[in-house]
């Protein structure tokens, strides 16, 4: 295995500082499974070796493990790595099926040419600046393997409006051009957030936006959910 470079973890304040609320968010994201369906239309992971990059507390690992041959979760923040390992143990998933490792997208603790399907969801791969992680993907992906990057489509949906208001300098067109140059195909998906209660919805909004912006969102938007546009980006190696 090529030794990857060392790294400094890139903070992710929402899940690092509010892991319990982020767990609520994970449960409320895409209840209709539209992201999973879009991924499967490109490449199913049944029988595959899967890598989940930035796996957090391991929320998606059991889903992959239902049909994958093996799943590796990589997470740069040690408390979340431990939480993911605890989740896996609590579900009785054997280490030879699901293995959680401390590491980062730009320093993957994974063998060369060993991954059939890579998955990064709202983790590290946000556009320009993620080139070290893309180089690591090039190293670990098998020929014919597919890498998926799921991120916001800030050009549309109510959530996209909130996102642009929070980050007015964000350039959706420039970000999309970056991914096109990297050889990724972007599939637009309109999914939704949907939570059991208004309190859950409010708590998630407050970890994703600054306090003033969250107050504005919650004052003008009622209910327990919102439409949310994303891109499911994919590249075959």
């Amino acid at each position: 295995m090529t030794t990857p470079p060392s790294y400094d973890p890139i903070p992710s304040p929402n899940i690092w500082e509010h892991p319990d609320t982020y767990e609520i968010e994970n449960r409320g994201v895409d209840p209709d499974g539209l992201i999973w369906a879009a991924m499967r239309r490109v490449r199913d992971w049944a029988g595959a070796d899967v890598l989940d990059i930035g796996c957090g507390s391991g929320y998606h690992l059991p889903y992959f493990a239902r049909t994958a041959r093996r799943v590796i979760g990589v997470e740069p923040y040690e408390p979340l790595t431990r939480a993911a390992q605890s989740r896996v143990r609590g579900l009785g998933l054997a280490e030879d099926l699901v293995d959680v490792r401390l590491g980062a997208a730009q320093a993957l603790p994974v063998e060369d040419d060993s991954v059939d399907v890579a998955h990064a969801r709202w983790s590290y791969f946000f556009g320009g600046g993620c080139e070290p992680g893309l180089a690591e993907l090039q190293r670990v992906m098998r020929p014919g393997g597919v890498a998926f990057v799921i991120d916001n489509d800030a050009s549309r949906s109510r959530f996209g409006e909130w996102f642009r208001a929070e980050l007015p300098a964000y350039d959706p067109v420039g970000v999309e051009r970056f991914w096109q140059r990297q050889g990724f195909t972007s599939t637009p998906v309109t999914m939704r957030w949907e939570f059991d209660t208004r309190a859950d919805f409010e708590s998630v909004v407050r970890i994703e936006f600054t306090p003033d912006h969250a107050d504005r969102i919650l004052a003008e938007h009622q209910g327990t959910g919102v439409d949310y546009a994303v891109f499911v980006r994919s590249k075959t190696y």
Side-chain angles (χ1 to χ4, degrees):
M1 179 174 71
T2 301
T3 301
S6 61
Y7 69 94
D8 291 320
I10 299 170
S12 183
N14 49 9
I15 189 171
W16 285 26
E17 298 175 12
H18 309 278
D20 292 342
T21 303
Y22 202 86
E23 186 77 5
I24 294 171
E25 180 171 353
N26 272 328
R27 292 197 296 267
V29 169
D30 191 22
D32 308 303
L34 301 181
I35 293 174
W36 295 118
M39 291 172 60
R40 280 198 176 91
R41 284 193 290 270
V42 177
R43 168 67 189 267
D44 201 319
W45 46 91
D49 291 320
V50 175
L51 172 64
D52 190 8
I53 303 171
C55 70
S57 61
Y59 185 82
H60 298 112
L61 300 178
Y63 188 88
F64 284 118
R66 293 176 189 174
T67 58
R69 190 182 79 89
R70 190 181 188 203
V71 183
I72 297 174
V74 172
E75 168 57 42
Y77 187 49
E78 190 167 0
L80 290 176
T81 304
R82 292 195 300 268
Q85 291 167 340
S86 179
R87 184 193 296 270
V88 168
R89 286 194 302 269
L91 292 172
L93 298 172
E95 189 172 324
D96 61 353
L97 174 61
V98 183
D99 182 14
V100 180
R101 304 175 183 178
L102 182 67
Q106 66 272 37
L108 291 169
V110 178
E111 299 284 338
D112 298 353
D113 302 316
S114 62
V115 175
D116 299 308
V117 175
H119 169 261
R121 189 178 300 209
W122 293 295
S123 176
Y124 180 81
F125 293 97
F126 301 123
C130 74
E131 290 86 351
L134 292 173
E136 280 288 88
L137 278 177
Q138 186 69 46
R139 178 180 68 80
V140 305
M141 298 301 298
R142 288 185 177 127
V146 176
F148 291 99
V149 172
I150 291 88
D151 194 17
N152 296 337
D153 176 359
S155 68
R156 59 195 184 88
S157 79
R158 178 60 63 86
F159 187 92
E161 294 174 9
W162 298 345
F163 185 88
R164 292 195 309 274
E166 175 88 343
L167 298 171
Y170 185 83
D171 178 11
V173 174
V175 171
E176 182 57 21
R177 287 173 177 165
F178 170 85
W179 288 108
Q180 289 174 356
R181 291 195 300 270
Q182 303 303 320
F184 279 74
T185 298
S186 296
T187 300
V189 174
T190 303
M191 53 93 176
R192 60 192 175 104
W193 266 359
E194 188 58 53
F195 300 97
D196 291 338
T197 66
R198 175 68 178 185
D200 283 350
F201 176 79
E202 291 184 1
S203 68
V204 172
V205 168
R206 292 195 182 282
I207 70 167
E208 292 296 349
F209 299 99
T210 58
D212 287 348
H213 190 35
D215 286 343
R216 289 191 292 270
I217 289 170
L218 296 173
E220 63 90 15
H221 185 84
Q222 302 303 308
T224 58
V226 67
D227 59 301
Y228 191 145
V230 300
F231 278 123
V232 175
R233 297 189 169 99
S234 61
K235 179 178 178 178
T236 302
Y237 286 79

